[in-house]
mmCIF file of all heavy atoms in Angstrom:
data_model
loop_
_atom_site.group_PDB
_atom_site.id
_atom_site.type_symbol
_atom_site.label_atom_id
_atom_site.label_comp_id
_atom_site.label_asym_id
_atom_site.label_seq_id
_atom_site.Cartn_x
_atom_site.Cartn_y
_atom_site.Cartn_z
ATOM 1 N N GLY A 12 0.830 -1.156 -0.027
ATOM 2 C CA GLY A 12 -0.013 -0.010 0.055
ATOM 3 C C GLY A 12 0.790 1.255 -0.026
ATOM 4 O O GLY A 12 1.641 1.551 -0.864
ATOM 5 N N PRO A 13 0.639 2.125 1.037
ATOM 6 C CA PRO A 13 1.368 3.405 1.049
ATOM 7 C C PRO A 13 2.925 3.169 1.099
ATOM 8 O O PRO A 13 3.662 4.094 0.526
ATOM 9 C CB PRO A 13 0.966 3.984 2.300
ATOM 10 C CG PRO A 13 0.383 2.914 3.153
ATOM 11 C CD PRO A 13 -0.083 1.820 2.230
ATOM 12 N N GLY A 14 3.485 2.151 1.683
ATOM 13 C CA GLY A 14 4.773 1.947 1.663
ATOM 14 C C GLY A 14 5.370 1.637 0.205
ATOM 15 O O GLY A 14 6.319 2.255 -0.156
ATOM 16 N N ALA A 15 4.704 0.800 -0.460
ATOM 17 C CA ALA A 15 4.963 0.607 -1.896
ATOM 18 C C ALA A 15 4.905 1.785 -2.850
ATOM 19 O O ALA A 15 5.731 2.155 -3.589
ATOM 20 C CB ALA A 15 4.147 -0.569 -2.456
ATOM 21 N N THR A 16 3.720 2.511 -2.644
ATOM 22 C CA THR A 16 3.587 3.715 -3.507
ATOM 23 C C THR A 16 4.587 4.877 -3.126
ATOM 24 O O THR A 16 4.858 5.661 -4.076
ATOM 25 C CB THR A 16 2.111 4.254 -3.445
ATOM 26 O OG1 THR A 16 1.800 4.539 -2.048
ATOM 27 C CG2 THR A 16 1.131 3.245 -3.864
ATOM 28 N N ASN A 17 5.078 4.881 -1.970
ATOM 29 C CA ASN A 17 6.119 5.879 -1.721
ATOM 30 C C ASN A 17 7.372 5.592 -2.338
ATOM 31 O O ASN A 17 8.286 6.523 -2.493
ATOM 32 C CB ASN A 17 6.414 5.942 -0.178
ATOM 33 C CG ASN A 17 5.284 6.712 0.569
ATOM 34 O OD1 ASN A 17 4.573 7.425 0.063
ATOM 35 N ND2 ASN A 17 5.267 6.509 1.928
ATOM 36 N N LEU A 18 7.586 4.459 -2.988
ATOM 37 C CA LEU A 18 8.766 4.218 -3.723
ATOM 38 C C LEU A 18 8.720 4.685 -5.141
ATOM 39 O O LEU A 18 9.832 4.764 -5.880
ATOM 40 C CB LEU A 18 9.085 2.587 -3.821
ATOM 41 C CG LEU A 18 9.255 1.806 -2.584
ATOM 42 C CD1 LEU A 18 9.372 0.293 -2.916
ATOM 43 C CD2 LEU A 18 10.578 2.254 -1.897
ATOM 44 N N VAL A 19 7.619 5.108 -5.579
ATOM 45 C CA VAL A 19 7.357 5.344 -7.014
ATOM 46 C C VAL A 19 8.338 6.491 -7.549
ATOM 47 O O VAL A 19 8.893 6.268 -8.686
ATOM 48 C CB VAL A 19 5.900 5.785 -7.268
ATOM 49 C CG1 VAL A 19 5.673 6.302 -8.738
ATOM 50 C CG2 VAL A 19 5.073 4.538 -7.108
ATOM 51 N N THR A 20 8.521 7.568 -6.986
ATOM 52 C CA THR A 20 9.344 8.642 -7.449
ATOM 53 C C THR A 20 10.777 8.082 -7.608
ATOM 54 O O THR A 20 11.479 8.468 -8.654
ATOM 55 C CB THR A 20 9.305 9.834 -6.470
ATOM 56 O OG1 THR A 20 8.077 10.368 -6.407
ATOM 57 C CG2 THR A 20 10.289 11.011 -7.003
ATOM 58 N N GLY A 21 11.348 7.386 -6.643
ATOM 59 C CA GLY A 21 12.620 6.872 -6.819
ATOM 60 C C GLY A 21 12.756 5.884 -7.920
ATOM 61 O O GLY A 21 13.778 5.761 -8.599
ATOM 62 N N ILE A 22 11.750 4.992 -8.144
ATOM 63 C CA ILE A 22 11.738 4.028 -9.195
ATOM 64 C C ILE A 22 11.809 4.818 -10.477
ATOM 65 O O ILE A 22 12.444 4.330 -11.447
ATOM 66 C CB ILE A 22 10.614 3.003 -9.055
ATOM 67 C CG1 ILE A 22 10.683 2.204 -7.799
ATOM 68 C CG2 ILE A 22 10.461 2.184 -10.351
ATOM 69 C CD1 ILE A 22 9.487 1.271 -7.516
ATOM 70 N N ALA A 23 10.862 5.798 -10.662
ATOM 71 C CA ALA A 23 10.850 6.529 -11.905
ATOM 72 C C ALA A 23 12.145 7.211 -12.181
ATOM 73 O O ALA A 23 12.520 7.267 -13.386
ATOM 74 C CB ALA A 23 9.708 7.604 -11.799
ATOM 75 N N THR A 24 12.818 7.734 -11.215
ATOM 76 C CA THR A 24 14.175 8.339 -11.392
ATOM 77 C C THR A 24 15.133 7.344 -12.017
ATOM 78 O O THR A 24 15.845 7.636 -12.879
ATOM 79 C CB THR A 24 14.706 8.913 -10.081
ATOM 80 O OG1 THR A 24 13.853 9.850 -9.596
ATOM 81 C CG2 THR A 24 16.017 9.510 -10.129
ATOM 82 N N ALA A 25 15.162 6.178 -11.373
ATOM 83 C CA ALA A 25 16.039 5.089 -11.855
ATOM 84 C C ALA A 25 15.678 4.659 -13.221
ATOM 85 O O ALA A 25 16.647 4.428 -14.117
ATOM 86 C CB ALA A 25 15.960 3.871 -10.898
ATOM 87 N N TYR A 26 14.410 4.696 -13.486
ATOM 88 C CA TYR A 26 13.999 4.231 -14.863
ATOM 89 C C TYR A 26 14.426 5.249 -15.941
ATOM 90 O O TYR A 26 14.953 4.981 -17.002
ATOM 91 C CB TYR A 26 12.482 4.084 -15.007
ATOM 92 C CG TYR A 26 11.956 3.631 -16.285
ATOM 93 C CD1 TYR A 26 12.081 2.290 -16.655
ATOM 94 C CD2 TYR A 26 11.261 4.497 -17.102
ATOM 95 C CE1 TYR A 26 11.523 1.852 -17.922
ATOM 96 C CE2 TYR A 26 10.798 4.147 -18.320
ATOM 97 C CZ TYR A 26 10.908 2.799 -18.720
ATOM 98 O OH TYR A 26 10.450 2.386 -19.950
ATOM 99 N N MET A 27 14.221 6.542 -15.633
ATOM 100 C CA MET A 27 14.611 7.566 -16.591
ATOM 101 C C MET A 27 16.070 7.648 -16.805
ATOM 102 O O MET A 27 16.596 7.987 -17.903
ATOM 103 C CB MET A 27 14.142 8.958 -16.131
ATOM 104 C CG MET A 27 12.606 9.107 -16.079
ATOM 105 S SD MET A 27 11.831 8.818 -17.808
ATOM 106 C CE MET A 27 12.525 10.312 -18.592
ATOM 107 N N ASP A 28 16.929 7.312 -15.798
ATOM 108 C CA ASP A 28 18.398 7.428 -15.880
ATOM 109 C C ASP A 28 19.045 6.039 -16.122
ATOM 110 O O ASP A 28 20.272 5.973 -16.070
ATOM 111 C CB ASP A 28 18.988 8.048 -14.649
ATOM 112 C CG ASP A 28 18.688 9.541 -14.510
ATOM 113 O OD1 ASP A 28 18.200 10.085 -15.592
ATOM 114 O OD2 ASP A 28 18.834 10.177 -13.469
ATOM 115 N N SER A 29 18.245 5.031 -16.342
ATOM 116 C CA SER A 29 18.829 3.643 -16.622
ATOM 117 C C SER A 29 19.725 3.160 -15.590
ATOM 118 O O SER A 29 20.784 2.811 -15.802
ATOM 119 C CB SER A 29 19.540 3.692 -17.947
ATOM 120 O OG SER A 29 18.655 4.127 -18.994
ATOM 121 N N ILE A 30 19.139 3.159 -14.302
ATOM 122 C CA ILE A 30 19.869 2.713 -13.100
ATOM 123 C C ILE A 30 19.427 1.308 -12.701
ATOM 124 O O ILE A 30 18.212 1.158 -12.526
ATOM 125 C CB ILE A 30 19.782 3.722 -11.995
ATOM 126 C CG1 ILE A 30 20.089 5.100 -12.399
ATOM 127 C CG2 ILE A 30 20.516 3.243 -10.768
ATOM 128 C CD1 ILE A 30 21.592 5.210 -12.944
ATOM 129 N N PRO A 31 20.347 0.400 -12.490
ATOM 130 C CA PRO A 31 19.936 -0.967 -12.031
ATOM 131 C C PRO A 31 19.369 -1.027 -10.662
ATOM 132 O O PRO A 31 20.072 -0.683 -9.763
ATOM 133 C CB PRO A 31 21.169 -1.793 -12.242
ATOM 134 C CG PRO A 31 22.350 -0.806 -12.072
ATOM 135 C CD PRO A 31 21.829 0.496 -12.642
ATOM 136 N N MET A 32 18.159 -1.421 -10.443
ATOM 137 C CA MET A 32 17.606 -1.491 -9.111
ATOM 138 C C MET A 32 16.546 -2.566 -9.028
ATOM 139 O O MET A 32 15.796 -2.864 -10.004
ATOM 140 C CB MET A 32 16.887 -0.148 -8.815
ATOM 141 C CG MET A 32 16.122 -0.086 -7.463
ATOM 142 S SD MET A 32 14.860 1.275 -7.365
ATOM 143 C CE MET A 32 15.965 2.663 -7.343
ATOM 144 N N VAL A 33 16.463 -3.218 -7.843
ATOM 145 C CA VAL A 33 15.341 -4.181 -7.677
ATOM 146 C C VAL A 33 14.610 -3.685 -6.415
ATOM 147 O O VAL A 33 15.215 -3.484 -5.365
ATOM 148 C CB VAL A 33 15.932 -5.650 -7.406
ATOM 149 C CG1 VAL A 33 14.759 -6.521 -6.909
ATOM 150 C CG2 VAL A 33 16.606 -6.167 -8.588
ATOM 151 N N ALA A 34 13.368 -3.338 -6.646
ATOM 152 C CA ALA A 34 12.451 -2.887 -5.589
ATOM 153 C C ALA A 34 11.581 -4.069 -5.121
ATOM 154 O O ALA A 34 10.913 -4.643 -5.911
ATOM 155 C CB ALA A 34 11.587 -1.794 -6.001
ATOM 156 N N ILE A 35 11.685 -4.380 -3.777
ATOM 157 C CA ILE A 35 10.867 -5.502 -3.243
ATOM 158 C C ILE A 35 9.812 -4.924 -2.404
ATOM 159 O O ILE A 35 10.047 -4.160 -1.461
ATOM 160 C CB ILE A 35 11.744 -6.408 -2.456
ATOM 161 C CG1 ILE A 35 12.873 -7.016 -3.403
ATOM 162 C CG2 ILE A 35 10.902 -7.514 -1.781
ATOM 163 C CD1 ILE A 35 13.970 -7.758 -2.583
ATOM 164 N N THR A 36 8.567 -5.261 -2.699
ATOM 165 C CA THR A 36 7.388 -4.781 -1.911
ATOM 166 C C THR A 36 6.640 -5.923 -1.351
ATOM 167 O O THR A 36 6.523 -6.947 -1.852
ATOM 168 C CB THR A 36 6.480 -3.836 -2.758
ATOM 169 O OG1 THR A 36 6.103 -4.581 -3.910
ATOM 170 C CG2 THR A 36 7.176 -2.670 -3.278
ATOM 171 N N GLY A 37 6.112 -5.578 -0.135
ATOM 172 C CA GLY A 37 5.184 -6.581 0.444
ATOM 173 C C GLY A 37 3.770 -6.355 -0.071
ATOM 174 O O GLY A 37 3.464 -5.303 -0.683
ATOM 175 N N GLN A 38 2.929 -7.320 -0.100
ATOM 176 C CA GLN A 38 1.526 -7.253 -0.597
ATOM 177 C C GLN A 38 0.640 -8.014 0.398
ATOM 178 O O GLN A 38 1.089 -8.817 1.225
ATOM 179 C CB GLN A 38 1.537 -7.907 -1.945
ATOM 180 C CG GLN A 38 0.128 -7.744 -2.618
ATOM 181 C CD GLN A 38 -0.319 -6.376 -2.785
ATOM 182 O OE1 GLN A 38 -0.951 -5.800 -1.913
ATOM 183 N NE2 GLN A 38 0.045 -5.708 -3.872
ATOM 184 N N VAL A 39 -0.641 -7.584 0.369
ATOM 185 C CA VAL A 39 -1.655 -8.259 1.215
ATOM 186 C C VAL A 39 -1.666 -9.730 0.910
ATOM 187 O O VAL A 39 -1.144 -10.134 -0.100
ATOM 188 C CB VAL A 39 -2.980 -7.641 1.125
ATOM 189 C CG1 VAL A 39 -2.894 -6.099 1.492
ATOM 190 C CG2 VAL A 39 -3.529 -7.796 -0.350
ATOM 191 N N LYS A 40 -2.358 -10.464 1.726
ATOM 192 C CA LYS A 40 -2.385 -11.945 1.522
ATOM 193 C C LYS A 40 -3.043 -12.235 0.215
ATOM 194 O O LYS A 40 -3.903 -11.533 -0.322
ATOM 195 C CB LYS A 40 -3.205 -12.643 2.666
ATOM 196 C CG LYS A 40 -2.461 -12.689 3.951
ATOM 197 C CD LYS A 40 -3.231 -13.322 5.048
ATOM 198 C CE LYS A 40 -2.552 -13.267 6.415
ATOM 199 N NZ LYS A 40 -3.245 -13.914 7.491
ATOM 200 N N SER A 41 -2.567 -13.315 -0.504
ATOM 201 C CA SER A 41 -3.002 -13.567 -1.838
ATOM 202 C C SER A 41 -4.499 -13.576 -2.013
ATOM 203 O O SER A 41 -5.068 -13.027 -3.088
ATOM 204 C CB SER A 41 -2.337 -14.943 -2.280
ATOM 205 O OG SER A 41 -0.993 -14.956 -2.204
ATOM 206 N N PHE A 42 -5.238 -14.207 -1.067
ATOM 207 C CA PHE A 42 -6.713 -14.345 -1.316
ATOM 208 C C PHE A 42 -7.357 -12.984 -1.050
ATOM 209 O O PHE A 42 -8.590 -12.902 -1.338
ATOM 210 C CB PHE A 42 -7.216 -15.440 -0.323
ATOM 211 C CG PHE A 42 -7.002 -15.194 1.154
ATOM 212 C CD1 PHE A 42 -8.026 -14.435 1.795
ATOM 213 C CD2 PHE A 42 -5.922 -15.626 1.822
ATOM 214 C CE1 PHE A 42 -7.800 -14.103 3.217
ATOM 215 C CE2 PHE A 42 -5.710 -15.435 3.133
ATOM 216 C CZ PHE A 42 -6.737 -14.602 3.839
ATOM 217 N N LEU A 43 -6.717 -11.925 -0.612
ATOM 218 C CA LEU A 43 -7.356 -10.690 -0.396
ATOM 219 C C LEU A 43 -7.149 -9.788 -1.580
ATOM 220 O O LEU A 43 -7.665 -8.746 -1.633
ATOM 221 C CB LEU A 43 -6.781 -10.018 0.876
ATOM 222 C CG LEU A 43 -7.200 -10.705 2.183
ATOM 223 C CD1 LEU A 43 -6.513 -9.960 3.376
ATOM 224 C CD2 LEU A 43 -8.663 -10.612 2.423
ATOM 225 N N ILE A 44 -6.154 -10.143 -2.452
ATOM 226 C CA ILE A 44 -5.818 -9.210 -3.565
ATOM 227 C C ILE A 44 -7.098 -8.907 -4.460
ATOM 228 O O ILE A 44 -7.777 -9.843 -4.849
ATOM 229 C CB ILE A 44 -4.736 -9.829 -4.425
ATOM 230 C CG1 ILE A 44 -3.395 -9.911 -3.604
ATOM 231 C CG2 ILE A 44 -4.363 -8.971 -5.673
ATOM 232 C CD1 ILE A 44 -2.282 -10.566 -4.234
ATOM 233 N N GLY A 45 -7.305 -7.612 -4.686
ATOM 234 C CA GLY A 45 -8.504 -7.306 -5.547
ATOM 235 C C GLY A 45 -9.729 -6.898 -4.721
ATOM 236 O O GLY A 45 -10.660 -6.515 -5.273
ATOM 237 N N ASN A 46 -9.553 -7.114 -3.344
ATOM 238 C CA ASN A 46 -10.709 -6.865 -2.579
ATOM 239 C C ASN A 46 -10.667 -5.581 -1.771
ATOM 240 O O ASN A 46 -11.393 -5.298 -0.810
ATOM 241 C CB ASN A 46 -10.974 -7.937 -1.508
ATOM 242 C CG ASN A 46 -11.471 -9.271 -2.196
ATOM 243 O OD1 ASN A 46 -12.382 -9.227 -2.963
ATOM 244 N ND2 ASN A 46 -10.799 -10.371 -1.974
ATOM 245 N N ASP A 47 -9.701 -4.665 -2.215
ATOM 246 C CA ASP A 47 -9.492 -3.333 -1.481
ATOM 247 C C ASP A 47 -9.167 -3.570 0.015
ATOM 248 O O ASP A 47 -9.762 -3.000 0.857
ATOM 249 C CB ASP A 47 -10.683 -2.441 -1.560
ATOM 250 C CG ASP A 47 -10.858 -1.926 -3.026
ATOM 251 O OD1 ASP A 47 -9.875 -1.923 -3.831
ATOM 252 O OD2 ASP A 47 -12.057 -1.747 -3.454
ATOM 253 N N ALA A 48 -8.322 -4.563 0.257
ATOM 254 C CA ALA A 48 -7.890 -4.897 1.594
ATOM 255 C C ALA A 48 -7.196 -3.783 2.233
ATOM 256 O O ALA A 48 -6.676 -2.826 1.558
ATOM 257 C CB ALA A 48 -7.214 -6.215 1.614
ATOM 258 N N PHE A 49 -6.904 -3.907 3.590
ATOM 259 C CA PHE A 49 -6.196 -2.852 4.249
ATOM 260 C C PHE A 49 -4.758 -2.706 3.739
ATOM 261 O O PHE A 49 -4.059 -3.759 3.654
ATOM 262 C CB PHE A 49 -6.173 -3.183 5.752
ATOM 263 C CG PHE A 49 -5.311 -2.308 6.588
ATOM 264 C CD1 PHE A 49 -5.637 -0.973 6.874
ATOM 265 C CD2 PHE A 49 -4.107 -2.738 7.061
ATOM 266 C CE1 PHE A 49 -4.845 -0.116 7.644
ATOM 267 C CE2 PHE A 49 -3.315 -1.915 7.877
ATOM 268 C CZ PHE A 49 -3.682 -0.625 8.167
ATOM 269 N N GLN A 50 -4.376 -1.546 3.317
ATOM 270 C CA GLN A 50 -3.009 -1.259 2.698
ATOM 271 C C GLN A 50 -2.784 -2.050 1.554
ATOM 272 O O GLN A 50 -1.646 -2.525 1.312
ATOM 273 C CB GLN A 50 -1.945 -1.377 3.827
ATOM 274 C CG GLN A 50 -2.087 -0.279 4.932
ATOM 275 C CD GLN A 50 -0.717 -0.186 5.697
ATOM 276 O OE1 GLN A 50 0.102 -0.996 5.637
ATOM 277 N NE2 GLN A 50 -0.561 1.009 6.321
ATOM 278 N N GLU A 51 -3.767 -2.170 0.736
ATOM 279 C CA GLU A 51 -3.594 -2.905 -0.593
ATOM 280 C C GLU A 51 -3.566 -1.782 -1.666
ATOM 281 O O GLU A 51 -4.155 -0.764 -1.685
ATOM 282 C CB GLU A 51 -4.692 -3.776 -0.934
ATOM 283 C CG GLU A 51 -4.623 -4.437 -2.251
ATOM 284 C CD GLU A 51 -5.790 -5.215 -2.833
ATOM 285 O OE1 GLU A 51 -6.792 -5.237 -2.154
ATOM 286 O OE2 GLU A 51 -5.766 -5.778 -3.926
ATOM 287 N N ALA A 52 -2.461 -2.027 -2.561
ATOM 288 C CA ALA A 52 -2.372 -1.146 -3.739
ATOM 289 C C ALA A 52 -1.811 -2.082 -4.928
ATOM 290 O O ALA A 52 -0.972 -2.984 -4.684
ATOM 291 C CB ALA A 52 -1.420 0.041 -3.483
ATOM 292 N N ASP A 53 -2.325 -1.718 -6.055
ATOM 293 C CA ASP A 53 -1.835 -2.496 -7.259
ATOM 294 C C ASP A 53 -0.458 -2.035 -7.704
ATOM 295 O O ASP A 53 -0.417 -1.273 -8.696
ATOM 296 C CB ASP A 53 -2.936 -2.520 -8.303
ATOM 297 C CG ASP A 53 -2.450 -3.150 -9.600
ATOM 298 O OD1 ASP A 53 -1.497 -3.988 -9.529
ATOM 299 O OD2 ASP A 53 -3.012 -2.861 -10.745
#
């Protein structure tokens, strides 16, 4: 959710400047995906 979306500006910077990065994000439990669960973001 908000933790993952807070990475977006830094990821976009790396993308525009061709910088090698792996961003690892947590996600809600698999069976909750798509149900607008607490702190869920696509």
Side-chain angles (χ1 to χ4, degrees):
T16 56
N17 281 343
L18 296 176
V19 168
T20 299
I22 293 172
T24 300
Y26 182 75
M27 293 300 294
D28 288 349
S29 304
I30 304 301
M32 176 198 291
V33 171
I35 300 168
T36 54
Q38 184 55 273
V39 300
K40 292 180 180 179
S41 302
F42 62 86
L43 291 175
I44 293 175
N46 288 311
D47 294 331
F49 175 70
Q50 290 198 340
E51 179 189 0
D53 178 15

